Amino acid sequence: MAEAERIIGTPDIPDAEGTEGDEAEGRGEETAPSRGKRKIMVLFGVAVFAYLLDLISKMIVVAKLEHHPPVEIIGDWLRLDAIRNAGAAFGIGEAFTIIFTFIAATVIVVIARLARKLYSLPWAIALGLLLGGALGNLTDRIFRAPGTFQGAVVDFIAPAHFAVFNLADSAIVCGGILIVILSFKGLDPDGTVHKD
């Protein structure tokens, strides 16, 4: 009887330990958790890149441009001019430095919590830009003069007829614009698309 079963074959019965995810991996398919992990890696990769770019640019600006005349890049249209900004992006609200520090910290916590439900690559990029920019300016708030949580942010990109800003501000604005576009398209962070 055992010999007959071996020759004919018995139907595959999944083990109690076997899961749908294991079967999908065996077929070379990507499971939802592995897709989520890849999107989280993209988010933090973009955030680290934006943060380091901002940090390095500010270090160079403080070392080479601060207390020196502005450097003209495109005539009067674009200059590099090192200033310290105690306010929010583009010099708004200089009397509320501690509040802006708290807001930046809150944004970072919210993005970190949202990352657990992230399955969309465009959202990962957008949130990574926001996270990197928020971390860049928060670093200034914590470690620069005049004191902890009251530090002035280093700004240096000075277009004509516009406020002076930095690469962290640029990352935040680009991330925000991308989020608005994704929201208009109906794409949610978890990868679902809804039509209103």
Side-chain angles (χ1 to χ4, degrees):
M1 181 70 177
E3 185 66 24
E5 284 180 356
R6 189 174 61 78
I7 294 171
I8 296 171
T10 56
D12 292 334
I13 301 172
D15 296 341
E17 296 175 4
T19 63
E20 189 177 319
D22 294 336
E23 292 173 7
E25 285 179 7
R27 294 192 299 267
E29 296 175 9
E30 194 175 25
T31 62
S34 64
R35 275 182 303 163
K37 286 179 184 175
R38 285 183 58 204
K39 301 307 182 285
I40 291 172
M41 287 174 60
V42 169
L43 186 157
F44 287 111
V46 170
V48 168
F49 178 76
Y51 175 73
L52 290 177
L53 203 61
D54 178 66
L55 185 65
I56 292 167
S57 67
K58 287 173 178 173
M59 290 170 65
I60 294 170
V61 164
V62 169
K64 303 290 185 183
L65 283 180
E66 203 166 39
H67 311 301
H68 289 82
V71 176
E72 292 186 353
I73 303 297
I74 308 174
D76 289 336
W77 290 98
L78 180 62
R79 298 181 307 164
L80 298 180
D81 187 10
I83 66 163
R84 298 293 181 113
N85 173 15
F90 312 116
I92 300 168
E94 293 191 5
F96 302 102
T97 305
I98 293 179
I99 294 173
F100 294 129
T101 304
F102 175 75
I103 291 170
T106 303
V107 167
I108 291 166
V109 171
V110 169
I111 291 172
R113 289 178 61 87
L114 188 59
R116 293 180 297 176
K117 301 176 183 177
L118 189 63
Y119 293 97
S120 165
L121 180 62
W123 270 95
I125 294 169
L127 292 175
L129 288 169
L130 280 178
L131 181 58
L135 282 170
N137 283 338
L138 184 60
T139 299
D140 283 359
R141 303 270 185 221
I142 294 173
F143 296 108
R144 295 197 188 275
T148 306
F149 300 114
Q150 298 179 347
V153 173
V154 176
D155 288 336
F156 58 92
I157 303 170
H161 314 298
F162 197 73
V164 184
F165 59 97
N166 59 42
L167 295 182
D169 297 332
S170 300
I172 291 168
V173 169
C174 290
I177 290 171
L178 184 52
I179 287 172
V180 170
I181 293 170
L182 294 173
S183 298
F184 272 118
K185 287 189 167 187
L187 180 61
D188 290 335
D190 63 2
T192 58
V193 179
H194 63 277
K195 300 289 183 183
D196 291 335

